[in-house]
Amino acid sequence: MREEKFINDNSYIWSNLESLLDKLKSKKLKSLSKSELDSFITSYRIVCSHLSYSKTFFGESKTTEYLNSLASSAHSHIYSTKSSGFKKIFSFYIKGFPELLKDNTSYMILSTALFMVGVIFSFIITILNSDNAPAFIPPELIEGIKTLKSGRSAWDSATQSASIFTNNIGVGLRAFALGITLGLGTTYILIFNGFILGSAAGLALNYNVFFIFWSLILPHGVLELFCIFVCGAAGLIIGKSIINPGVYSRKDSLIKGGKTAVYLACGTIPLFIVAGIIEGYFTPSEVSVEAKLIFSLLSFILLSLYLALPFIRRKKYN
């Protein structure tokens, strides 16, 4: 093909890309409409193809120089447009994390169910006979529940908050990391921690301090338990990716599942921190039992609204 014909046949594509580049001089790539963005990407790919053709048949001609400049300008907009690290993190926690949870609802349900199996079993065993409690919970916790009506001992908020955070996130991380044991370790962590909560609740019921007990658990527990369920779901994803890789090789399946699991586990970090602060400062305060239970309900409502964001967006745009 002669150079003149090459120019005549394709100049409208080059002009289109050039006009879009002019528009981007004062704006960002995301400012383009969907149709403009599609046109920009398509035109860029065609221009790259034309540049290759021009280099081959027309050498270092003015046409080649022009196409090289055009392609370079478009390339810089496509591959150099990066959002700040803070913006990416913020976007993940506001949008990405809830959507990731929605996509992995089945694992969340299974994780929660395993925990609740432990809760229900130990609760029933304990309310039938309080002497069964030591099989599930340590002696110091049993004594603590017995003396709830008489008040609590002095509480170092700063120290306790740090200790609580470390313990809670440790449970979550173990539930996540033990997914590598084909999910068996994750299952154990979930059921074992369910045993502790269920038996403690059963003992509180037997000692007539049921509502006091929950007022000390739920303010932080709404977020804390949710985070443990998420980390459990992450561990189960890893286990499933090893046991049933599907169309992928076992290695590729583990990499794919592991990436999802890591994002899920990371998504719980801010919530774990907030739960630790609440447990360290608000839970041991002199606020009434009723106020603490109301606070817990509000926490649950806010968490539910946060998790509902992907469904709300989907309904809005459908």
Side-chain angles (χ1 to χ4, degrees):
M1 181 187 297
R2 288 166 43 180
E3 186 173 0
E4 184 178 349
K5 179 173 173 52
F6 176 69
I7 294 172
N8 290 335
D9 289 348
N10 300 299
S11 59
Y12 75 95
I13 297 175
W14 309 342
S15 297
N16 178 61
L17 182 58
E18 196 167 358
S19 65
L20 290 171
L21 285 169
D22 287 337
K23 185 174 182 178
L24 288 171
K25 285 182 179 178
S26 58
K27 298 180 180 180
K28 295 183 179 180
L29 191 61
K30 291 190 292 184
S31 66
L32 297 180
S33 65
K34 186 179 184 305
S35 59
E36 287 176 326
L37 185 59
D38 290 341
S39 177
F40 182 79
I41 299 298
T42 301
S43 297
Y44 167 69
R45 289 173 177 171
I46 295 174
V47 166
C48 287
S49 177
H50 289 170
L51 174 60
S52 179
Y53 182 90
S54 183
K55 283 182 176 181
T56 301
F57 294 99
F58 309 128
E60 297 300 323
S61 65
K62 289 185 177 181
T63 302
T64 302
E65 291 178 6
Y66 168 74
L67 291 174
N68 185 62
S69 174
L70 195 61
S72 297
S73 297
H75 182 277
S76 65
H77 282 286
I78 294 172
Y79 295 101
S80 298
T81 303
K82 298 180 180 178
S83 57
S84 65
F86 176 79
K87 189 174 182 180
K88 285 183 177 179
I89 294 172
F90 182 79
S91 177
F92 170 71
Y93 284 111
I94 295 299
K95 181 182 178 182
F97 182 55
E99 290 183 345
L100 191 61
L101 286 171
K102 178 176 75 70
D103 293 338
N104 293 279
T105 301
S106 60
Y107 293 100
M108 277 294 294
I109 292 173
L110 179 56
S111 176
T112 305
L114 288 170
F115 185 89
M116 291 307 299
V117 165
V119 169
I120 294 170
F121 177 80
S122 63
F123 180 78
I124 293 173
I125 294 298
T126 302
I127 62 173
L128 290 176
N129 189 341
S130 295
D131 291 339
N132 293 327
F136 304 103
I137 53 180
E140 57 269 22
L141 181 54
I142 295 174
E143 290 303 314
I145 293 172
K146 287 180 180 179
T147 58
L148 277 179
K149 276 191 174 181
S150 62
R152 306 186 69 193
S153 58
W155 186 282
D156 184 341
S157 295
T159 302
Q160 291 295 337
S161 181
S163 175
I164 290 161
F165 167 70
T166 302
N167 177 72
N168 294 345
I169 202 169
V171 171
L173 288 177
R174 286 194 295 275
F176 157 64
L178 288 175
I180 200 68
T181 63
L182 307 182
L184 295 177
T186 299
T187 300
Y188 169 78
I189 291 292
L190 290 169
I191 295 177
F192 176 78
N193 281 274
F195 282 159
I196 295 173
L197 180 60
S199 184
L203 202 60
L205 180 64
N206 288 350
Y207 290 142
N208 298 314
V209 290
F210 192 68
F211 291 106
I212 297 175
F213 170 78
W214 284 112
S215 75
L216 297 173
I217 295 297
L218 290 180
H220 63 272
V222 170
L223 296 180
E224 180 183 310
L225 293 175
F226 169 74
C227 290
I228 291 174
F229 298 157
V230 173
C231 289
L236 294 173
I237 288 172
I238 293 176
K240 185 265 180 184
S241 69
I242 300 173
I243 296 171
N244 183 21
V247 297
Y248 300 95
S249 67
R250 207 170 297 278
K251 177 183 176 182
D252 290 341
S253 177
L254 179 58
I255 292 172
K256 182 175 180 293
K259 184 177 180 180
T260 299
V262 167
Y263 278 123
L264 283 173
C266 288
T268 65
I269 293 175
L271 297 176
F272 263 130
I273 293 173
V274 173
I277 293 172
I278 293 171
E279 190 172 359
Y281 292 90
F282 180 76
T283 299
S285 68
E286 297 300 322
V287 177
S288 68
V289 169
E290 293 78 11
K292 289 178 180 178
L293 292 176
I294 291 172
F295 176 88
S296 305
L297 178 61
L298 291 175
S299 296
F300 177 78
I301 292 172
L302 289 174
L303 179 62
S304 298
L305 289 174
Y306 171 63
L307 298 178
L309 285 176
F311 300 94
I312 295 171
R313 291 194 190 98
R314 183 177 180 182
K315 184 176 180 180
K316 179 180 178 181
Y317 291 108
N318 280 347

